Amino acid sequence: MRDGAPVTGPSRLSTLAVHAGERHPNPDNAIVPPIACTATYTFRDTAELRDHFEGRVQREEYGRYGNPSVAAVERKLAALEGAEDCALFGSGMAAISSALFALLRGGQHVVLTADGYRRTRQFVTGFLRKFGVEATLVEPGDYEALAAAIVPGKTRVLLGESPTNPYMRVVDLDRLAAIKAQHRGSGLKIVIDATFATPVNLQPLRRGADLVVHAGTKYLGGHNDLLAGAVCGDAGLVGAIRDLRGMLGGVLDGHSAYLLHRGLKTLTLRVERQNASALRIAGFLEAHPEVERVFYPGLASHPDHAVAREQMRGFGGVVSFLVRGDLDRTSRFIDRCRVPRIGPSLGGVESLIEQPALMSFYELSTAEREAVGIRDNLVRLAVGVEDVEDLIADLDQALRA
Ligand SMILES: *Cc1c(COP(=O)(O)O)cnc(C)c1O
């Protein structure tokens, strides 16, 4: 524990969140690791420089290759995920794009679900295509289609997300692992973006994933005050991704690492609170006469409820629902809410509410949005840590008005 020993069981997550990865005693005897605010590192003499390049000493060299504040958070997150190693990035998209660049080359193929994060989908199906990487999108929950989409010898990545946005689909990791097992020796890797789950609710590496990626911007940071990304997995894969990070340059800086570290200390407290509040709010909304339908994996009405119950420790803090009414009535409901603020993102202590039709899908027409499964009356609520009674009372007055 003192030197960030790896996790041995899922029951110690709170202790790990507080203590893992930290080094005590340190030169200042500081309980909080100091912020390493430096672009480069100095060498005592040429002999030390030679020792560094010949691997006789372990030390930092230059800011793009490493930073002690960043390394401390990498050790903590690796412990929380049960991973050998973790590499941090300046944003979730820097983490995802760098990981995929490291895993793939021209002529290879990715299978991903159609409901993945929009920028990830655009990166894989649009940008990577320029480098000769092909991609097949499959509908969430269709494991036959997913298995059939694999081209033996060519497909190198199965890219999933869990839970997804905005319908909170939960991927059955056991089924993914079984599909992967049919292609043993082909180099096929399972990569899961578990941003919405966090290691508190799901540890994909323990169920057969090869890499787990996070937008640390969301729950891991937890305070809507930083951008960060993370990739966790075995030392070989993460080492290759970290080497590429030194070239692509998407590193996290010391100040953001400090904020992320501070946020991680309360990760389990926040996520457990958000799980409990979101479950209550989902039940309240499902029974509300002004609500047409609720999408939350903790509800028996959700298509992935059984998988979520079996594979997750909690169902997460995001609830999506259809308000009875059209685009404008839904906007009026959102404008009447007083506690959640209107904005993209999720996972912070402040509740955030948005109408996907007017946020991520603004430039599309109603018909085009329906074609991609986004109704005008859809609302996404990212539950914060406010009192759940206040949130429920606020939603109720806004729905009834
Ligand atoms: C926000 C998000 C990302 C991107 O993270 P950034 O830090 O904004 O780059 C990726 N995946 C999911 C699921 C997200 O919610």
Side-chain angles (χ1 to χ4, degrees):
M1 179 62 62
R2 287 192 181 282
D3 58 355
V7 66
T8 54
S11 59
R12 296 164 55 230
L13 279 177
S14 296
T15 310
L16 290 171
V18 175
H19 292 293
E22 297 180 24
R23 294 199 164 140
H24 297 283
N26 57 55
D28 299 325
N29 293 312
I31 188 161
V32 177
I35 305 175
C37 189
T38 184
T40 192
Y41 305 88
T42 59
F43 293 83
R44 198 175 349 102
D45 52 23
T46 305
E48 192 184 5
L49 184 70
R50 284 182 184 280
D51 283 345
H52 167 65
F53 280 114
E54 285 168 25
R56 287 188 291 269
V57 291
Q58 285 284 323
R59 48 154 293 151
E60 303 290 2
E61 174 196 332
Y62 179 66
R64 189 158 19 77
Y65 307 128
N67 174 298
S69 302
V70 173
V73 185
E74 289 175 338
R75 291 192 297 270
K76 190 181 290 286
L77 255 181
L80 288 169
E81 286 290 359
E84 284 175 8
D85 200 1
C86 165
L88 285 173
F89 290 83
S91 71
M93 281 315 299
I96 292 162
S97 56
S98 300
L100 291 174
F101 267 133
L103 292 175
L104 292 159
R105 57 185 154 73
Q108 294 180 338
H109 176 238
V110 183
V111 177
L112 69 165
T113 46
D115 61 346
Y117 186 69
R118 194 146 171 252
R119 290 300 193 183
T120 303
R121 249 185 305 135
Q122 288 172 346
F123 177 73
V124 174
T125 62
F127 192 77
L128 282 181
R129 201 174 289 268
K130 293 206 305 184
F131 299 88
V133 174
E134 288 169 40
T136 304
L137 289 166
V138 296
E139 287 307 313
D142 190 347
Y143 297 93
E144 280 81 32
L146 192 138
I150 294 174
V151 186
K154 205 171 157 189
T155 307
R156 298 304 285 254
V157 173
L158 291 181
L159 179 60
E161 230 170 87
S162 201
T164 61
N165 177 43
Y167 295 115
M168 306 297 129
R169 297 303 304 262
V170 175
V171 68
D172 185 339
L173 290 169
D174 294 353
R175 288 190 76 166
L176 278 200
I179 291 168
K180 181 188 155 182
Q182 291 167 0
H183 298 272
R184 221 184 296 276
S186 71
L188 183 63
K189 304 283 185 229
I190 297 174
V191 181
I192 301 293
D193 179 337
T195 296
F196 275 54
T198 83
V200 179
N201 288 335
L202 183 71
Q203 290 166 306
L205 301 175
R206 296 188 184 283
R207 283 195 179 257
D210 296 285
L211 287 176
V212 55
V213 296
H214 284 285
T217 312
K218 314 292 172 56
Y219 291 97
L220 302 185
H223 293 75
N224 289 321
D225 58 0
L226 63 90
L227 287 157
V231 182
C232 302
D234 76 46
L237 275 179
V238 175
I241 293 165
R242 182 181 281 114
D243 283 350
L244 186 60
R245 183 184 70 179
M247 215 182 313
L248 296 179
V251 297
L252 190 70
D253 73 285
H255 284 101
S256 294
Y258 165 78
L259 289 172
L260 181 55
H261 188 263
R262 185 175 164 129
L264 281 172
K265 297 251 177 186
T266 55
L267 177 71
T268 57
L269 287 174
R270 287 184 285 105
V271 171
E272 281 164 10
R273 170 70 163 262
Q274 285 162 312
N275 285 340
S277 295
L279 184 61
R280 271 198 57 193
I281 290 169
F284 159 78
L285 290 170
E286 194 162 53
H288 202 286
E290 298 301 328
V291 173
E292 191 182 312
R293 186 167 170 197
V294 183
F295 306 90
Y296 186 69
L299 297 176
S301 58
H302 192 277
D304 301 321
H305 181 57
V307 178
R309 273 182 60 160
E310 141 101 14
Q311 300 189 4
M312 299 180 74
R313 278 192 294 271
F315 304 110
V318 179
V319 183
S320 296
F321 54 102
L322 297 169
V323 170
R324 278 194 204 289
D326 59 6
L327 185 85
D328 290 335
R329 176 160 197 255
T330 307
S331 300
R332 284 197 298 276
F333 155 71
I334 286 182
D335 289 343
R336 274 187 224 111
C337 289
R338 295 188 195 115
V339 181
R341 297 191 181 280
I342 300 171
S345 202
L346 57 125
V349 292
E350 298 93 355
S351 291
L352 289 170
I353 196 163
E354 61 148 317
Q355 194 171 356
L358 298 182
M359 188 68 76
S360 308
F361 299 87
Y362 191 85
E363 68 281 9
L364 306 187
S365 69
T366 295
E368 286 168 327
R369 285 194 290 259
E370 299 253 327
V372 294
I374 299 297
R375 302 251 311 262
D376 283 347
N377 57 337
L378 180 68
V379 175
R380 186 184 81 178
L381 174 66
V383 178
V385 301
E386 301 93 342
D387 290 297
V388 68
E389 288 77 12
D390 287 338
L391 286 167
I392 287 175
D394 189 34
L395 292 167
D396 192 39
Q397 65 76 24
L399 282 166
R400 282 180 198 282

